Amino acid sequence: MRPVPEVQNDRRFNVLGVGISALTREEATQRVMGWVQRCEAAYVNVCTADTVLRCHDDPRLAAIVNGAGMATPDGMPLVWLGRWQGLEVERVYGPDLMLSVCGRGLALGVRHYFYGGTDQVLSDLIRRFMVRFPGFQVAGFWAPPFRALTEREEAEVVDRINAARPDVVWVGLGTPKQDFWLAKFRPRLEAPVLIAVGAAFNFHAGSVWQAPRWMMRIGMEWFFRLLMEPGRLWRRYLIGNFRFVMLICRQLLFPAGKGS
C-alpha cells in the first residue's frame, strides 16, 4: 500500500492510498484565500471516486494528488468514508468551490484565469460570472487545442498566464489530464493558486446540466450524468463504480492490505 504523506495544515484520511482532505467548503475557501493573500504557491485537486480509482491504478497520478495543497472530497462516497472515520467532512463540490472562491475574492480584488474548455464555453462562463459577481476580475482565458502541446506552445502558455498576473488559475481539462497539467505547470507559473475543477466550466457555462441537489445529497449524481452522457460515461460509472466499491470493501475488511 502506498503511504499517504503528511501535508502541513491539511488533515487527510486514506482512501485506497490517496489522502483526501477532511474539511468543509468554507475551510477550503479560506485556505485558498490564505494562499492568495500570502502569495503562496499551491495547487488543488478536486477528487471524486473516479479520481481515487485512477490514482489506485497510476502511482504517478497518486503522487500528484497526495502532493496537493488540498485534495478535496468532491463526491459523496468520499464524504461518507471520511465521516465513517469520525471526521468532520463536507462535500467540496468543484462548481460550488468555484463560486465560493470567486465570490469571496471580490473584496480582495482577486484576478482569475480560465484554462480549458472551448471558446464558446469560456465566453459563456465568463459572461455569466460577470453578471453574477459585479466587479469580477478576469485576468485572461484560453481554450487549448484537444491534443498534446508542443514544447514551444507550453512555453507560450507559461508566458501568457504569467503576463496576465492572475491570482487563481482555474483548469477545466478533465481527470487525469488536468491533474498532470497542474504538476507540470505549477513550478513554472507565478500565480499563487491553481485549481483543477473538471466539468465545472461546462456546468457554469450552461452547456451541461447539473444533477438536482437532492440527487447529489444521496450520492446519485453519477446516475444523472450517466443518463445525460451514456456513450461517454458508461464505462466510468458502471464498471468504475463497481471496482471502487469492491476495493473499498477490501480496505475496510482488511486494513493491513488496503489499497494493495
Side-chain angles (χ1 to χ4, degrees):
M1 172 188 170
R2 294 184 296 274
V4 177
E6 292 284 333
V7 178
Q8 188 176 9
N9 299 322
D10 187 31
R11 187 179 185 187
R12 300 201 181 197
F13 57 97
N14 193 339
V15 182
L16 303 181
V18 179
I20 301 298
S21 301
L23 39 60
T24 65
R25 187 178 66 196
E26 175 61 23
E27 290 170 336
T29 303
Q30 289 179 358
R31 192 171 297 173
V32 171
M33 290 296 100
W35 289 330
V36 168
Q37 290 179 292
R38 295 189 300 270
C39 293
E40 182 178 341
Y43 66 88
V44 178
N45 296 97
V46 176
C47 301
T48 62
D50 178 63
T51 308
V52 171
L53 194 59
R54 289 175 184 270
C55 288
H56 178 269
D57 294 337
D58 189 342
R60 299 172 305 155
L61 183 59
I64 291 169
V65 176
N66 283 333
M70 285 191 296
T72 67
D74 179 357
M76 288 309 297
L78 303 184
V79 173
W80 294 330
L81 286 167
R83 291 175 180 172
W84 184 80
Q85 297 182 40
L87 300 171
E88 182 182 357
V89 185
E90 181 179 287
R91 186 185 186 195
V92 184
Y93 180 48
D96 287 349
L97 177 63
M98 200 172 182
L99 293 177
S100 182
V101 169
C102 290
R104 192 70 55 84
L106 289 174
L108 299 176
V110 172
R111 294 167 54 82
H112 302 267
Y113 195 101
F114 300 92
Y115 182 95
T118 65
D119 289 331
Q120 186 62 55
V121 165
L122 291 176
S123 176
D124 292 341
L125 168 68
I126 291 170
R127 175 177 52 81
R128 290 186 174 206
F129 273 31
M130 296 291 284
V131 172
R132 182 165 190 158
F133 303 110
F136 185 71
Q137 295 195 40
V138 178
F141 56 91
W142 192 51
F146 291 96
R147 58 169 173 77
L149 301 181
T150 65
E151 290 187 4
R152 179 177 178 178
E153 288 172 329
E154 288 183 355
E156 290 173 351
V157 166
V158 171
D159 291 342
R160 182 183 297 116
I161 295 177
N162 285 340
R165 297 181 295 105
D167 298 299
V168 179
V169 178
W170 299 96
V171 184
L173 299 175
T175 297
K177 185 177 180 180
Q178 63 189 12
D179 308 288
F180 285 112
W181 192 95
L182 293 185
K184 188 171 191 175
F185 285 89
R186 175 64 285 179
R188 304 169 66 182
L189 295 176
E190 298 169 2
V193 187
L194 316 181
I195 308 178
V197 288
F201 284 17
N202 291 321
F203 290 148
H204 287 314
S207 58
V208 174
W209 286 0
Q210 294 189 65
R213 289 286 167 167
W214 68 267
M215 293 188 78
M216 294 185 187
R217 286 193 296 271
I218 64 173
M220 290 297 291
E221 181 181 7
W222 67 270
F223 183 68
F224 180 88
R225 294 195 64 189
L226 178 62
L227 292 178
M228 294 296 101
E229 300 180 85
R232 186 174 74 87
L233 297 176
W234 74 269
R235 184 179 299 274
R236 177 195 301 184
Y237 290 132
L238 298 184
I239 298 177
N241 284 4
F242 178 77
R243 279 193 67 215
F244 180 79
V245 170
M246 292 301 99
L247 288 168
I248 289 298
C249 288
R250 185 170 67 178
Q251 172 176 317
L252 297 177
L253 291 172
F254 307 103
K258 60 190 174 186
S260 60

